[in-house]
Amino acid sequence: MHTCFHPPSGTWPVMLTPFTPDDTIDWPAFDELVDWYVSAGASGLFSVCLSSELYHLSAEEKEALAKRALARVSGRVPVIAAGPMGPDLNDMAEQTRRMADTGVAAVILLTNQFYCEAPDEPDGSDSDWRDAVSRFLELVPDNIPLGIYECPRPFPCNLSAGTLGWLAGTGRFVMTKDTCCDSGVIAEKLRSTANTPLSFYNADGVTLLDSLRRGGAGYSGIAGNYFLSLFSWLCRHHAEQPALAEELSAFIQAENRLVHVQYPQSAKHYLGLAGLRLTPHTRVSSFDFSASQLEDLRSLRGRIIDWECRLGLCPSTTAAR
């Protein structure tokens, strides 16, 4: 039986899946990765997401990843996981129940799974999308906490402020991961969900500080696989140290382009530089990094260490330049 879940504010890193060279999940590396996220200040872990290579995992692997994350984290922080894949709503409801049975704190729905194909108006405002979600909710026990995730693949489906407010008003959703990357739209969404159970997590490091100041709960995006300790500090201390928060935000914005180069393989390379024993192997890409690209990652690691030490986080996050 699930109880009411109130996700803590802060950082919810999107978890990578380490693989061995023969394409199986590297469980020792996964355990080490969980520990790294927690030591870097994560408030919770988002397992089984796009960064986990969601579309390249079997149903059994998804459930195994959620269970392993829960076992390794051992109550230190909550774990959530994306679950249902469409288009059949009855099957999606069963997938949701199965993922909930792993013990995760909430099951996260992907906005694009309520369409059979990319919508003509992908802002989530059309009535067909709401109708599909309404029918889905009737099939899922109301004691399972749910979240909503604007997953950009296989196609983006970013919700309008009105539709996000409607979701919040159902009382079934405890969190949203927003990927619109637009401060104006984010402000509208935060207004539409004010005084509801829905906590707002921004996936975009560039607009994060603005969203925190407007009442956002925190961060959940791919750059957390590089800057997690810095994001964790920013979420916790932006109000009490506004000038330093502005400077840190400017640093993150300036470096943001690097995190998108051949992600998630680049993130695995980076975490190897941070001392983790995971290979750069992925199921979604095979890319040979140039010497200059690898040097960019090494240089980025050094600049992040400098910031960690400036914020009093060094040497608590163990790493080598």
Side-chain angles (χ1 to χ4, degrees), residues 66-85:
K67 290 177 180 177
R68 185 75 169 224
L70 284 162
R72 185 66 182 186
V73 85
S74 190
R76 289 177 288 174
V77 297
V79 176
I80 58 175
M85 308 292 287

Side-chain angles (χ1 to χ4, degrees), residues 199-247:
S199 295
F200 185 98
Y201 297 87
N202 193 347
D204 178 37
V206 173
T207 58
L208 174 62
L209 181 56
D210 182 67
S211 67
L212 291 171
R213 289 172 170 169
R214 294 178 183 273
Y219 176 78
S220 182
I222 68 172
N225 284 302
Y226 304 80
F227 305 102
L228 184 57
S229 59
L230 307 186
F231 283 128
S232 297
W233 185 95
L234 191 63
C235 289
R236 292 188 174 107
H237 301 291
H238 68 93
E240 64 193 58
Q241 299 190 55
L244 188 55
E246 284 279 2
E247 190 177 348

Side-chain angles (χ1 to χ4, degrees), residues 87 112-120 154-157:
N112 55 30
Q113 294 303 303
F114 293 93
Y115 286 111
C116 294
E117 57 186 16
D120 293 332
F155 54 84
C157 176

Side-chain angles (χ1 to χ4, degrees), residues 143-191:
N143 61 355
I144 298 178
L146 300 173
I148 195 77
Y149 166 27
E150 293 179 340
C151 183
R153 291 188 177 84
F155 54 84
C157 176
N158 291 333
L159 304 182
S160 67
T163 293
L164 188 62
W166 171 79
L167 281 177
T170 67
R172 301 288 299 275
F173 292 84
V174 298
M175 60 197 307
T176 181
K177 177 182 170 179
D178 189 90
T179 65
C180 75
C181 306
D182 185 312
S183 288
V185 174
I186 289 170
E188 293 177 5
K189 289 181 174 182
L190 286 167
R191 284 193 293 269

Side-chain angles (χ1 to χ4, degrees), residues 8-300:
S9 299
T11 53
W12 286 76
V14 287
M15 295 188 66
L16 300 167
T17 302
F19 293 105
T20 65
D22 65 0
D23 217 29
T24 60
I25 296 175
D26 187 336
W27 293 114
F30 181 83
D31 290 344
E32 191 176 61
L33 184 59
V34 168
D35 292 342
W36 182 84
Y37 289 133
V38 175
S39 70
S43 298
L45 302 182
F46 188 177
S47 66
V48 195
C49 55
L50 187 59
S51 289
S52 309
E53 306 181 46
L54 173 67
Y55 296 110
H56 297 266
L57 298 169
S58 68
E60 293 76 17
E61 287 175 324
K62 293 173 192 175
E63 293 173 19
L65 283 167
K67 290 177 180 177
R68 185 75 169 224
L70 284 162
R72 185 66 182 186
V73 85
S74 190
R76 289 177 288 174
V77 297
V79 176
I80 58 175
M85 308 292 287
D88 182 87
L89 294 180
N90 286 288
D91 185 50
M92 288 174 68
E94 176 59 25
Q95 293 175 56
T96 300
R97 288 189 289 269
R98 287 179 60 87
M99 185 58 77
D101 285 343
T102 66
V104 294
V107 179
I108 310 303
L109 312 179
L110 280 57
T111 54
N112 55 30
Q113 294 303 303
F114 293 93
Y115 286 111
C116 294
E117 57 186 16
D120 293 332
E121 298 179 3
D123 63 357
S125 62
D126 62 295
S127 60
D128 288 346
W129 191 90
R130 293 192 190 188
D131 288 345
V133 173
S134 294
R135 285 183 279 119
F136 171 82
L137 293 177
E138 292 175 356
L139 299 170
V140 176
D142 61 9
N143 61 355
I144 298 178
L146 300 173
I148 195 77
Y149 166 27
E150 293 179 340
C151 183
R153 291 188 177 84
F155 54 84
C157 176
N158 291 333
L159 304 182
S160 67
T163 293
L164 188 62
W166 171 79
L167 281 177
T170 67
R172 301 288 299 275
F173 292 84
V174 298
M175 60 197 307
T176 181
K177 177 182 170 179
D178 189 90
T179 65
C180 75
C181 306
D182 185 312
S183 288
V185 174
I186 289 170
E188 293 177 5
K189 289 181 174 182
L190 286 167
R191 284 193 293 269
S192 74
T193 56
N195 303 312
T196 74
L198 187 75
S199 295
F200 185 98
Y201 297 87
N202 193 347
D204 178 37
V206 173
T207 58
L208 174 62
L209 181 56
D210 182 67
S211 67
L212 291 171
R213 289 172 170 169
R214 294 178 183 273
Y219 176 78
S220 182
I222 68 172
N225 284 302
Y226 304 80
F227 305 102
L228 184 57
S229 59
L230 307 186
F231 283 128
S232 297
W233 185 95
L234 191 63
C235 289
R236 292 188 174 107
H237 301 291
H238 68 93
E240 64 193 58
Q241 299 190 55
L244 188 55
E246 284 279 2
E247 190 177 348
L248 176 58
S249 178
F251 167 75
I252 291 170
Q253 292 179 45
E255 303 288 353
N256 189 63
R257 65 172 183 83
L258 288 177
V259 310
H260 295 278
V261 177
Q262 297 300 326
Y263 182 86
Q265 194 171 350
S266 58
K268 295 183 178 185
H269 268 297
Y270 175 84
L271 290 169
L273 296 173
L276 277 70
R277 293 170 295 176
L278 76 168
T279 74
H281 182 75
T282 75
R283 290 179 180 175
V284 298
S285 63
S286 179
F287 180 78
D288 292 326
F289 286 83
S290 68
S292 64
Q293 288 172 322
L294 292 175
E295 180 54 36
D296 283 345
L297 290 174
R298 283 190 289 269
S299 178
L300 175 63

